[in-house]
Amino acid sequence: MIATSCRSWLPEAAVARAARAVPLGAAVHDWSATWFAGRQAMVAGDPAFGRGVDLARDTAIGIDDMLAMLMPDQTGTVVASLMFGAPDDPDALTPADRDALLTASERCLADLRTRLAETFGMSLDVPWRPMTAPAADIGWRTYRVDADGLGPLLRVAASDALIARWRRGTLPAVEARDPLGALAAALADQSVAVSAFVGRCGLTASELATLSAGDVVMLDRAIGEPVELSVDAGRGPMRGTIRQLDDRLQLTIV
């Protein structure tokens, strides 16, 4: 299997807010309430950000480069103590007793892994595998899980890409709208302004200043000669002729 590193589509600040919004605390609380009698595990503080994940003192098991559970060597023993209480004399435990405690704690941790995958919206069919070094070129958010009265229990690491995917899945669905109509149909209903260019003449500034009511200005276009038309102040391909109809001008397209 080839794991492909991918980056988040969310800005850094948005990923940080989303990481704090992941309901991991509720998942851990429900898990501990199911397995531990009178004791509790909890997410401690906000997730820490880093490139890659430090595995110097932990055993890691994860799903690709997306989600990982990081466990110190004593995690199994602490989980067994939370489930059954600390033995009065650990040295008195038989090999069979130790195997039974180990099996019970592994089932407990396997249930936590299932709850983690569900919390982040991952498929439960994807197996968890041992991890040697989570990708160092992508961002990770690491959550610390503490055991009631016993200190740190384990850590949960989620990639920024996974957190962004979780956040996207929590967004409300986009309301379906009617599809856009054809462009030609939309343009057909668009109103336009049509103008006719009657003609022009050349005057000096002094001649223009002397014009008064009753003066006649001769244009350069003959009567009956087609005039140019413009659409929305832009010159168009059509031409027309102007005639008088009663007290208005009539434009005939030619």
Side-chain angles (χ1 to χ4, degrees), residues 24-59:
L24 193 61
V28 171
H29 178 272
D30 292 345
W31 167 70
S32 65
T34 300
W35 290 90
F36 306 149
R39 306 298 289 271
Q40 185 178 357
M42 66 208 77
V43 175
D46 290 336
F49 172 75
R51 295 284 175 184
V53 179
D54 180 17
L55 300 181
R57 298 178 301 276
D58 296 331
T59 299

Side-chain angles (χ1 to χ4, degrees), residues 82-137:
L82 292 169
M83 295 173 66
F84 305 109
D88 295 332
D89 184 5
D91 294 334
L93 295 176
T94 66
D97 293 334
R98 297 181 188 278
D99 289 343
L101 291 175
L102 181 62
T103 299
S105 63
E106 178 51 39
R107 288 177 178 173
C108 177
L109 292 170
D111 180 53
L112 176 59
R113 290 195 293 270
T114 298
R115 294 172 188 263
L116 293 176
E118 289 177 337
T119 298
F120 284 99
M122 303 189 74
S123 172
L124 301 183
D125 296 329
V126 180
W128 291 70
R129 302 180 185 277
M131 300 179 70
T132 55
D137 61 336

Side-chain angles (χ1 to χ4, degrees), residues 203-212:
L203 296 174
T204 64
S206 59
E207 290 172 336
L208 180 63
T210 60
L211 290 178
S212 61

Side-chain angles (χ1 to χ4, degrees), residues 67-228:
L67 181 63
M69 192 163 72
L70 316 171
M71 299 167 290
D73 293 339
Q74 70 272 19
T75 294
T77 302
V78 175
V79 168
S81 298
L82 292 169
M83 295 173 66
F84 305 109
D88 295 332
D89 184 5
D91 294 334
L93 295 176
T94 66
D97 293 334
R98 297 181 188 278
D99 289 343
L101 291 175
L102 181 62
T103 299
S105 63
E106 178 51 39
R107 288 177 178 173
C108 177
L109 292 170
D111 180 53
L112 176 59
R113 290 195 293 270
T114 298
R115 294 172 188 263
L116 293 176
E118 289 177 337
T119 298
F120 284 99
M122 303 189 74
S123 172
L124 301 183
D125 296 329
V126 180
W128 291 70
R129 302 180 185 277
M131 300 179 70
T132 55
D137 61 336
I138 61 176
W140 288 86
R141 309 285 162 165
T142 303
Y143 304 79
R144 196 184 82 218
V145 178
D146 287 356
D148 185 16
L150 298 175
L153 177 61
L154 52 84
R155 292 181 296 157
V156 175
S159 69
D160 281 3
L162 177 60
I163 291 172
R165 191 175 74 179
W166 170 83
R167 171 54 79 194
R168 184 167 53 225
T170 65
L171 297 177
V174 178
E175 181 182 355
R177 299 181 181 274
D178 294 334
L180 295 176
L183 178 59
L187 292 177
D189 294 332
Q190 181 68 34
S191 298
V192 295
V194 179
S195 304
F197 179 72
V198 177
R200 63 169 59 87
C201 70
L203 296 174
T204 64
S206 59
E207 290 172 336
L208 180 63
T210 60
L211 290 178
S212 61
D215 290 341
V216 176
V217 176
M218 299 298 294
L219 302 179
D220 61 354
R221 192 178 302 275
I223 297 178
E225 181 181 350
V227 298
E228 296 176 354

